[in-house]
Amino acid sequence: MPEATRWRTSPNLALNQLVAERRAAGDDVVHLAFGESRLPAFGPLTERLARGADRNAYGPVAGGEPVRRAAAGYFSRRNMPTGPDQIVVGPGSKPLLMALQHVLPGDVLIPRPAWNSYVPQARLAGKTAYEVPIPSECGGIPDPAALRDVVRQARAAGGDPRIVVLTLPDNPTGTLAPPALVREICAAAEELDLVIISDEIYRDIVHDPATPFLSPAEVAPERTIVTNGLSKTLALGGWRIGVCRFPDNAWGLSVRDGVTSVASEVWSTLAGPMQEVAAYAFAEPQEIRQRLSASARLHGAVARAVYEIMVDAGATCRPPTGGFYVYPDFEPLRTHLAWRGVTDSAGLQRHLLDTYGVLVLGGHHLGDDAGALRFKAATSMLYGETAEEQERSLAAADPLALPHVERVLSRLKETFTKLSH
C-alpha cells in the first residue's frame, strides 16, 4: 500500500501529553505550554448538561433554533446585530475554522506569530499560508503596511491570497488590537478585497472591562466572519462548543450554507446536550455574566504577575491585556544564554524544561523566527492543581496571595532569575 502522508500532532497537544507522562513518572513540571483555562466547570453549566442528556437524537446541522437564537443575541449585545439564520454551531470553533478553509476560495494571510493551528489548517485545505509580521503595539493582526506588501508581492508572483485571519484578543501575545488598528486592517482588507475571519474565542477575557473592543464585523460587516466558543471564557475546552457568525448578505449566507454542507459530512451536528449548555450560556443570565467577570479578573491578575517576572528577568514583552498568555522576548540576554548553549527558541524551550522543569511553547511552533528567543507562556495553568484550589483562585480578591498561587509564581521567579544570571 502507498505510504500515508506524514502529519505531526499539534505541538501544544503533544506537549500537554508529554507533561502528563512526565508527571505520571513523578516529575514536577510547571506547565505553561497549553492554552487551557484551568478552572472547574461551572455548576449551572453541568446542570444544563445533565438536563440535556436525553437529547440523543440528531438535530439540525447548523444547530437548533434555541441555541442559534441565543448565539444571535450574544452577538447582538456586542454591537453586531444578528439573526438566528446567520449562526452555525459546532463541536468547537476549531472545526468551524477548518470548514471555512474548505469553503472559502483563495490562500490565507496569517499574523506572525499566531496560534499554531491556523497554518496547518490552511495546508490541510490545500491552501498557501502567507505569514505577515504583527505590529509593534500588539499581536493578533498583521501589520497593515506589511499586509499590503505581502498581498501585492504574492499576487504579482501568481499567488491568490484572499483571506486574512485576525485574533482578538490574541493568542499567543495576550494583547488586544486597539480600535484604530482594527479600522486600519479592515480598510486594507477592503482595498485588497480580502475576506476577514475574526477569531474572537478570547473576546470575553479582556482584563480591564473599560478597554475598548472593536470587532472587524462592526467595521466591515459585509466581509467579516466571526468565530467564538465556550472553551476559553467558561473553561469548557473538553466539551467542544463553538459558534460561527456569518454576514447578513447573499455572500455571507452562501458561505454559511457551505460550512453547513461541510458540517453535514464531518460532524453532523453539535451534540444535543452541548446545545442545551450553549443555549443557556449564550443567553448570559446574571450568574454567567458574574462567572465571566470573575474569570477575566483572575486571568488578568496572574498574566500580569508572570509578565512582571519575565520583564524583571530582562526580557522585553508586550503587557498582557486579554486572554491568558504572555510572549516574552529574551533577545536582551542572547549573549548570556549563548554561553549556556541556548541560541534559538527550540533550545530555550528545551533548556527551561530540562534544567528547571518549566515547559513553555517555543515561538518556532507559532510561525515566529526560529532563531529568536521568544516563547508563549499560558498563565491560565497556574490556578491550582485541584478543583478546590482553582475555585479559591477564582473567588479570591487577591489570588496572588493564595499559598498555592504564590508558590508556583515564586518558582517561576526563581527560574527566570537563575536563567538571567
Side-chain angles (χ1 to χ4, degrees):
M1 295 181 66
E3 184 176 352
T5 301
R6 295 185 182 275
W7 292 95
R8 294 186 304 168
T9 300
S10 181
N12 55 335
L13 292 168
L15 289 172
N16 195 50
Q17 180 62 32
L18 172 66
V19 170
E21 292 169 357
R22 291 188 65 153
R23 285 177 171 173
D27 292 351
D28 182 13
V29 179
V30 177
H31 188 9
L32 300 174
F34 193 56
E36 180 174 61
S37 180
R38 190 56 63 86
L39 292 168
F42 187 35
L45 294 170
T46 62
E47 292 169 9
R48 290 285 170 159
L49 181 63
R51 185 181 301 182
D54 62 352
R55 294 181 57 175
N56 61 323
Y58 288 97
V61 176
E65 175 74 16
V67 68
R68 289 187 294 109
R69 188 169 58 247
Y74 169 91
F75 287 111
S76 296
R77 288 188 294 276
R78 286 156 177 80
N79 205 31
M80 292 176 277
T82 306
D85 289 347
Q86 293 172 250
I87 297 294
V88 173
V89 294
S93 62
K94 199 170 186 178
L96 289 165
L97 287 162
M98 186 74 243
L100 287 169
Q101 295 288 358
H102 283 291
V103 171
L104 294 170
D107 295 323
V108 187
L109 299 137
I110 294 167
R112 187 177 76 232
W115 177 51
N116 50 267
S117 286
Y118 291 140
V119 170
Q121 284 195 345
R123 291 174 178 164
L124 280 168
K127 299 177 183 293
T128 297
Y130 296 92
E131 297 172 87
V132 187
I134 61 176
S136 59
E137 300 97 311
C138 62
I141 66 170
D143 180 271
L147 177 72
R148 289 181 172 93
D149 289 343
V150 169
V151 170
R152 289 166 182 154
Q153 291 169 13
R155 288 175 176 170
D160 190 27
R162 296 201 220 172
I163 306 160
V164 60
V165 178
L166 314 178
T167 315
L168 305 166
D170 180 40
N171 169 9
T173 66
T175 59
L176 174 64
L181 269 175
V182 172
R183 292 186 188 280
E184 191 173 348
I185 205 73
C186 288
E190 292 183 350
E191 172 190 325
L192 300 165
D193 195 20
L194 302 174
V195 172
I196 300 170
I197 298 175
S198 185
D199 183 351
E200 299 180 11
I201 191 75
Y202 297 93
R203 167 151 196 161
D204 295 314
I205 311 178
V206 176
H207 302 159
D208 181 352
T211 302
F213 187 111
L214 182 67
S215 172
E218 299 176 63
V219 182
E222 74 287 348
R223 65 177 63 246
T224 301
I225 299 165
V226 181
T227 61
N228 205 318
L230 304 181
S231 295
K232 311 301 181 181
T233 54
L234 288 172
L236 296 180
W239 289 15
R240 312 308 303 133
I241 299 171
V243 63
C244 194
R245 177 197 183 271
F246 300 88
D248 188 20
N249 55 28
W251 172 81
L253 298 180
S254 72
V255 177
R256 176 208 61 189
D257 290 346
V259 167
T260 303
S261 178
V262 171
S264 73
E265 304 296 352
V266 178
W267 64 80
S268 300
T269 185
L270 177 63
M274 298 311 170
Q275 291 198 37
E276 187 82 19
V277 171
Y280 164 72
F282 283 126
E284 297 182 292
Q286 182 179 4
E287 63 272 18
I288 289 292
R289 295 196 302 272
Q290 291 173 342
R291 185 77 171 190
L292 292 173
S293 178
S295 298
R297 285 196 305 270
L298 173 61
H299 294 317
V302 177
R304 285 191 297 274
V306 176
Y307 160 79
E308 290 169 3
I309 288 170
M310 301 299 172
V311 171
D312 288 347
T316 60
C317 189
R318 295 175 178 87
T321 55
F324 35 70
Y325 305 105
V326 296
Y327 197 73
D329 185 351
F330 280 84
E331 183 63 30
L333 299 181
R334 177 170 291 279
T335 300
H336 173 74
L337 291 173
W339 294 340
R340 301 182 178 212
V342 175
T343 58
D344 56 20
S345 63
L348 181 55
Q349 175 185 305
R350 186 168 52 250
H351 181 71
L352 286 169
L353 179 60
D354 293 345
T355 306
Y356 304 108
V358 173
L359 181 61
V360 298
L361 189 67
H364 60 291
H365 293 303
L366 303 160
D368 208 344
D369 177 3
L373 295 170
R374 294 186 281 269
F375 60 78
K376 178 176 79 171
T379 60
S380 53
M381 305 294 282
L382 304 177
Y383 307 149
E385 295 298 320
T386 67
E388 180 183 1
E389 286 183 343
Q390 293 157 12
E391 286 287 1
R392 286 169 55 204
S393 297
L394 191 61
D398 180 10
L400 307 184
L402 294 173
H404 63 273
V405 176
E406 192 277 334
R407 184 167 54 250
V408 71
L409 290 176
S410 293
R411 177 171 169 183
L412 288 178
K413 185 174 182 62
E414 179 182 1
T415 293
F416 286 97
T417 298
K418 290 180 178 177
L419 181 73
S420 62
H421 287 80

